[in-house]
Amino acid sequence: MDYGWTAFIYETRSGQIELPVELSSSSATRLLTGQGTGSHGIRAQGMSRALLREISEGNRWSLAIGWADDPSFCAYAGVIQGRRLDDETDTATVKTRELPSAMFGDRSFFGVNQYEPVNGKLTITNRSYSGAVRAMLAACMAPSSEWAFPIDLPADGTGSFSKTAKHEEALTLADLLQIVRDMGQEIDFRPYFSGSTVRHQTRVASKINTGVGADLPARAPGSLLVGLSREDDWTDQHTGVGAFGNGQGQVRPYAYAPSSGSGATLTPVRDSFVTFPDIEVPEGDTAAQAHLQAAADAEYARTKGSVESTSFGISIWGVGPQIAEPGKLLNLWSYGGLALEDGLTQKRVTGLRVDLSTMITPEVESYAA
């Protein structure tokens, strides 16, 4: 059975793997938000200098990191955004960003030569959140094969989501997806290996979680957990959120959370007002008003408590990095420690930092079923 990290260069547009590469160094973080980054040193060993220069060209090529024991698991996939070519070490050091971060901010559902100021628009009507994301992705890859990404579309479905995006607004794919995120949804583009390609599974949910949580005892002989600590930050805690939609003056749409009761029963009042310019609420449109309320609820849920940061490393020799893939649950068992309460504390992995060692560092948040 093989263990250890693997790395591949693949074509960003098709996902087709071009060749395996040997890394002299690597540090990368995959995030559920798609905003992860990486830095990787690619040795020229076994290839010509011309080939190394070619396969380290930005945007056309991407780099994926896997684990030899699991042919489908991809710990990180990032589009090459920059490089440094070093004669002394025969190494190309490339900087990468995850596909959503690298590409979605410069991708709309029409090209610069397709602008129609009068009739140009994308209309999404009565779809589920997953169905809305599907429609957005499909539209932003539709014009021609040049617009393709190796992305699996999520399931379609009916629901309350409706949106009309006009050409004149020049909304990008990142802007469109943010509208869904503002309503309390997570959207993840999970990379995975499929034969000789790297693809992205689109996951849409209020809280993405997969599989059964792995049991990890803390402060026990032979524990896989290393360096357990916790920080709490109340800087941005809010006792209430007022949310404005798109509009002006006295008819500007508004919602607030909590919608009943008080968020300041124990702490001084710290209310906050936020604006969601992409949420339009036509007069009398109860579904659109519900969208704005969902955005207010999501923002309040995010800020009503402290920002908790629990940190630890996991030794993966014998278990592999799949144990802490973003979206998975971790069951932390602690007795007599300071960072965690006695008993079970369940965490959800929101990010994963990897290098070429057998120690990984997950980013986690508290999770309640």
Side-chain angles (χ1 to χ4, degrees), residues 20-279:
V21 290
E22 181 180 350
L23 300 182
S24 59
S25 63
S26 181
S27 177
T29 301
R30 184 174 109 67
L31 300 173
L32 282 179
T33 59
Q35 302 299 303
T37 60
S39 177
H40 326 269
I42 306 174
R43 290 193 177 101
Q45 184 176 347
M47 72 177 79
S48 69
R49 274 58 175 175
L51 178 57
L52 179 56
R53 284 193 292 269
E54 179 185 347
I55 57 94
S56 60
E57 289 179 2
N59 291 324
R60 178 185 177 187
W61 301 108
S62 294
L63 184 144
I65 297 173
W67 185 250
D69 186 45
D70 187 340
S72 67
F73 173 72
C74 183
Y76 174 83
V79 182
I80 294 175
Q81 299 285 273
R83 72 179 179 192
R84 186 182 73 250
L85 302 174
D86 192 326
D87 269 358
E88 287 192 16
T89 62
D90 278 343
T91 299
T93 301
V94 297
K95 302 291 186 182
T96 61
R97 290 161 58 195
E98 289 192 270
L99 181 68
S101 173
M103 292 289 168
F104 291 3
D106 294 309
R107 172 62 64 89
S108 187
F109 56 93
F110 63 95
V112 295
N113 62 337
Q114 299 169 322
Y115 179 67
E116 297 182 21
V118 178
N119 297 316
K121 61 185 177 181
L122 168 64
T123 301
I124 302 172
T125 305
N126 296 333
R127 309 320 297 160
S128 64
Y129 290 126
S130 177
V133 171
R134 180 188 179 91
M136 293 169 182
L137 291 170
C140 292
M141 296 190 290
S144 73
S145 61
E146 296 175 346
W147 291 60
F149 284 133
I151 293 175
D152 301 335
L153 298 180
D156 197 2
T158 59
S160 62
F161 185 95
S162 297
K163 172 67 179 178
T164 297
K166 300 178 181 179
H167 279 202
E168 65 190 61
E169 298 175 274
L171 296 180
T172 66
L173 178 55
D175 295 330
L176 293 169
L177 296 177
Q178 187 59 45
I179 298 171
V180 179
R181 289 190 171 103
D182 286 343
M183 296 175 187
Q185 299 298 298
E186 292 181 337
I187 307 171
D188 177 48
F189 295 89
R190 173 184 175 267
Y192 69 96
F193 293 104
S194 177
S196 60
T197 63
V198 177
R199 297 196 59 80
H200 295 264
Q201 174 195 9
T202 307
R203 303 187 291 183
V204 183
S206 58
K207 287 291 183 183
I208 294 169
N209 65 80
T210 57
V212 178
D215 289 317
L216 294 172
R219 300 168 57 87
S223 173
L224 300 177
L225 292 184
V226 178
L228 179 63
S229 66
R230 168 180 161 174
E231 293 185 10
D232 294 281
D233 187 344
W234 289 271
T235 303
D236 295 320
Q237 181 184 23
H238 293 120
T239 56
V241 169
F244 293 102
N246 190 334
Q248 299 291 330
Q250 297 177 350
V251 296
R252 192 179 182 189
Y254 181 74
Y256 64 93
S259 54
S260 63
S262 171
T265 55
L266 298 175
T267 63
V269 171
R270 296 187 71 185
D271 286 356
S272 174
F273 294 90
V274 295
T275 299
F276 297 96
D278 293 324
I279 299 181

Side-chain angles (χ1 to χ4, degrees), residues 297-317:
D297 293 340
E299 180 66 11
Y300 175 64
R302 187 183 69 83
T303 62
K304 67 180 180 179
S306 66
V307 176
E308 177 194 320
S309 177
T310 301
S311 302
F312 53 88
I314 301 177
S315 174
I316 58 171
W317 192 256

